[in-house]
Amino acid sequence: QGYYTRRGGIGESGDFITSPEISQVFGELIGIWYISEWIAMGKPTAFQLVELGPGRGTLTDDILRVFNQLAALLSKCDISIHLVEVSPKLSETQALMLTGGEVQSHTEDKPAYMKGVSKTGIPIFWYRDIQDVPPGYSFYLAHEFFDALPIHKFQRTDKGWREVLVDIDPEAPDQLRFVLSPSSTPATENFIQPEETRDHVEVCPEAGVIIQRLAYRLEEHGGAALVADYGHDGTKTDTFRGFQNHKLHDVLKDPGTADLTADVDFSYLRKMTMGRTATLGPIKQREFLKNMGIDLRLQVLLQNSSDTATHEQLLHSYDMLMNPKKMGDCFNFFALLPHHRLVHPDKKHKPESNPPLPPVAGFAELLLK
């Protein structure tokens, strides 16, 4: 009966809107980020692009357009797209956008439940779990994915940590209420870090498990992972909220009809890599996009369009993405990379013999030669 499984209202007519739905530039710059990492890694002969929770498929569509525009550069590289999606409704929408709706369903015991070919001729596969995605050199993308995973909530009391639970309200039997667990629960024993200083904490164990899998895969097979979401670095407390028709909605009212979300705790994600990979960020969306050259891209698009409506739309969407009061400051970018991407493995012996590693795009200032 889940919200995404039944409807998942993304977009202007839905319950919330995401960056790729606002501007094509967002997805284009992410596509450039992956190509930049592919070049920095010495242009491997194949890579998988794996997106977790691809929404309507807009982001992958924008990235595929960039790959197509840079086809000459990628010509010797074997590219495939792997989408991890649990919602049957959303996977249909993605298939329509990416393949024009021509897909084959797999009912047998194959890991992918659906496959198709993009409009530009790249194979696309759908899976229910990241575990089902074949191993190999991969670029992972999680845009507004981790914030939708379920959380545990904890409150510090004078008797120690207590878990916040959901109960039926005895005053109104058709309504729900929050209560504190009478004693400690398995979750309070396992998910609270001993050094925790906050009085109220939200923990998403599922995010921890997924990050561990990503870190393991990157360590074993190479690649990179980019996470874009609203969140904090272990500083916020109570962020659990609902959205319906772009307005805040009581999370306990009419369950299953609103988008439920909680800010991503990037300090927790960093901890969960267990040091298997290097991490970069979180940095604010406006910094990341600026470092990726969004200002240059905007100028080109403005020069190439002559009508006022398009100009206004471009400037409006740029403002939505970059304005600190809109999405610019509340969204963050965070990356997982193999350690050797940032430090030469044999740095200890002859540091002077190694050429400097190229900077990671987006996380360092853009210098134009």
Side-chain angles (χ1 to χ4, degrees):
Q1 288 300 304
Y3 169 80
Y4 285 102
T5 324
R6 292 189 306 152
R7 47 193 290 236
I10 306 170
E12 295 204 18
S13 60
D15 297 315
F16 62 97
I17 191 157
T18 64
S19 296
E21 307 287 332
I22 289 168
S23 169
Q24 65 175 68
V25 179
F26 184 83
E28 289 173 350
L29 295 176
I30 287 178
I32 299 286
W33 191 84
Y34 288 117
I35 289 176
S36 157
E37 276 310 295
W38 173 73
I39 293 169
M41 302 279 202
K43 301 184 182 171
T45 53
F47 70 76
Q48 308 188 131
L49 177 67
V50 184
E51 190 179 359
L52 310 179
R56 296 202 299 204
T58 314
L59 194 45
T60 295
D61 197 44
D62 289 339
I63 293 171
L64 282 173
R65 193 173 58 253
V66 170
F67 289 178
N68 195 45
Q69 284 164 345
L70 298 174
L73 178 67
L74 294 163
S75 62
K76 292 187 176 69
C77 185
D78 186 13
I79 302 172
S80 55
I81 306 292
H82 303 260
L83 305 177
V84 179
E85 180 57 76
V86 293
S87 162
K89 197 164 164 43
L90 284 172
S91 59
E92 272 174 38
T93 310
Q94 294 149 13
L96 205 60
M97 175 166 281
L98 299 169
T99 71
E102 290 181 33
V103 286
Q104 291 167 285
S105 294
H106 284 193
T107 40
E108 323 98 75
D109 50 355
K110 287 209 170 86
Y113 65 82
M114 194 162 83
K115 67 172 188 178
V117 178
S118 80
K119 292 172 256 187
T120 54
I122 290 176
I124 308 181
F125 303 87
W126 278 262
Y127 311 84
R128 291 195 176 82
D129 193 310
I130 190 168
Q131 297 280 68
D132 299 332
V133 177
Y137 186 89
S138 302
F139 292 128
Y140 297 92
L141 175 58
H143 176 265
E144 286 201 52
F145 170 74
F146 286 108
D147 71 78
L149 299 178
I151 53 161
H152 286 271
K153 282 173 87 65
F154 304 101
Q155 181 69 45
R156 195 194 293 270
T157 70
D158 44 17
K159 298 191 187 70
W161 285 99
R162 292 293 180 261
E163 188 169 1
V164 178
L165 303 171
V166 177
D167 183 25
I168 290 169
D169 191 339
E171 308 287 304
D174 58 340
Q175 281 172 26
L176 300 171
R177 62 171 184 167
F178 285 121
V179 292
L180 285 181
S181 61
S183 57
S184 124
T185 61
T188 46
E189 301 295 320
N190 288 300
F191 298 139
I192 299 283
Q193 308 287 338
E195 67 276 16
E196 188 54 70
T197 55
R198 289 169 287 177
D199 289 334
H200 188 101
V201 182
E202 295 167 335
V203 181
C204 177
E206 206 176 319
V209 170
I210 290 169
I211 283 289
Q212 283 180 357
R213 285 181 185 155
L214 287 178
Y216 175 76
R217 282 169 166 248
L218 291 174
E219 185 186 43
E220 287 289 299
H221 308 288
L226 194 60
V227 177
D229 225 315
Y230 38 84
H232 56 90
D233 213 6
T235 51
K236 287 192 182 177
T237 55
D238 178 16
T239 70
F240 182 44
R241 57 206 186 278
F243 282 98
Q244 201 177 56
N245 301 324
H246 304 269
K247 291 188 178 69
L248 280 170
H249 177 85
D250 178 351
V251 291
L252 297 181
K253 208 172 153 229
D254 310 322
T257 64
D259 169 49
L260 300 185
T261 181
D263 281 22
V264 177
D265 183 343
F266 289 104
S267 68
Y268 174 71
L269 299 191
R270 192 182 297 113
K271 228 171 238 140
M272 288 298 119
T273 63
M274 307 290 185
R276 283 180 183 273
T277 59
T279 58
L280 291 175
I283 70 164
K284 292 183 171 27
Q285 174 165 300
R286 66 187 163 93
E287 289 177 47
F288 178 86
L289 295 176
K290 203 171 187 58
N291 293 341
M292 286 303 299
I294 190 171
D295 295 341
L296 292 169
R297 183 70 183 126
L298 177 71
Q299 292 312 319
V300 171
L301 289 171
L302 288 171
Q303 281 160 14
N304 292 347
S305 69
S306 48
D307 65 303
T308 331
T310 310
H311 265 232
E312 280 175 9
Q313 174 57 39
L314 285 166
L315 292 167
H316 171 72
S317 56
Y318 175 88
D319 181 59
M320 279 290 283
L321 293 176
M322 299 294 281
N323 188 327
K325 293 189 174 67
K326 294 177 183 171
M327 289 174 152
D329 271 7
C330 56
F331 280 85
N332 295 276
F333 277 76
F334 180 76
L336 274 64
L337 298 153
H339 287 292
H340 63 78
R341 170 65 182 91
L342 300 175
V343 182
H344 282 291
D346 53 352
K347 198 75 174 162
K348 298 184 283 293
H349 310 301
K350 314 187 285 270
E352 64 289 342
S353 64
N354 290 317
L357 291 160
V360 177
F363 292 89
E365 221 170 307
L366 179 66
L367 298 172
L368 296 169
K369 291 182 182 158

